[in-house]
Amino acid sequence: MVGSSHEALHWVFQKDPALLTRAFQRVLHVSFPEPRDFAVLNADLTEIEPVERRVDTLMRVETDEGPYLLVVEAQGKKDEKKRGSWPYYLSYLYEKYRCEPVLVVITQNSATARWAAQPIRRGLPGWDSMTVRPLVIGPDNVPLIAGEREAERDVPLAVLSAMTHGRGAKAAAILEPLAFALRTVDGESAAVFGQLVESCLGDPGAKEIWRDLMSEIRYFFNSPVAEKVREEGRVEGREEGMVEDRAGMTLRILEWRAIPVPDAVREKVLACSDLDQLEDWAQRALTAERAEDLFAVDGA
């Protein structure tokens, strides 16, 4: 499976190919025809045996306006060799498949994103024989999805948000809403998305939080509450589990940050059944200096 952030950043589009074209509109603000079908292709572009050339992910997209090739490259840092290999990839793919190639670069690093977005021009000054303009997805244009309801509306995009912001200071704020949103997909998809996110987290503390959350998700999919949700579709069953998990996570965030939790605070959090209130407390737990600061706005 996925063992590094490099693999995870492009593999997420193989898990949900439609996420890439949605990202064109919501992240890159680039118009793309409505896809009808996707196919993941062989990423090996080698022509001469000793020279290995391979893109990270290659997909063919069928639309009413014709087929497109989506070439996805995960980039961890600046690499000037790519400014030679990327034009080659696109030219070779067009010659091989005779449909338009689109280069998409995804990164967790803002400086790398700015470097990758620079047009690659080949030819005479003022008369380019070839121009390559990568579309770049990174922490500066992927929205920070830190609300549970927003995460539920598009779980794969929330996963992409957690992955691209996974090495930044705000990574921890994304994890809890995403974990709750993962309960709305099937167990296998939740497990795959969970591993992709973990591969992209840079802070050990954030990784520990995420592992705790994923343990709760695995429990959820094997619990009577989850069975009630899956078989009966009862909203109250789903909310019951969410209340319990969110209260517990709020307390664990404080404990992870080495903030003492008095019994009075613990009892108030565990007794709360208001999902919105618990979500607010969980967000405050990320920055609170004392456990009592969770309730500062409430006058407690």
Side-chain angles (χ1 to χ4, degrees), residues 41 60 62 66-69 90-101:
L41 304 179
R60 181 185 177 101
E62 299 291 342
Y68 288 85
L69 293 176
L90 301 183
S91 299
Y92 175 80
L93 288 168
Y94 179 79
E95 179 65 22
K96 181 176 181 179
Y97 293 101
R98 288 295 170 176
C99 58
E100 297 298 337

Side-chain angles (χ1 to χ4, degrees), residues 18 20 31-32 43 47 52 71 74 121 125 132 180 204 215-217 220 257 260 272-273 277 296:
L20 188 53
S31 177
F32 193 88
E47 290 185 277
E52 181 181 353
V71 185
R121 306 185 189 277
V132 175
F180 286 112
S215 294
E216 292 183 1
I217 291 173
F220 173 83
R257 296 183 59 222
C272 181
S273 59
Q277 181 65 81

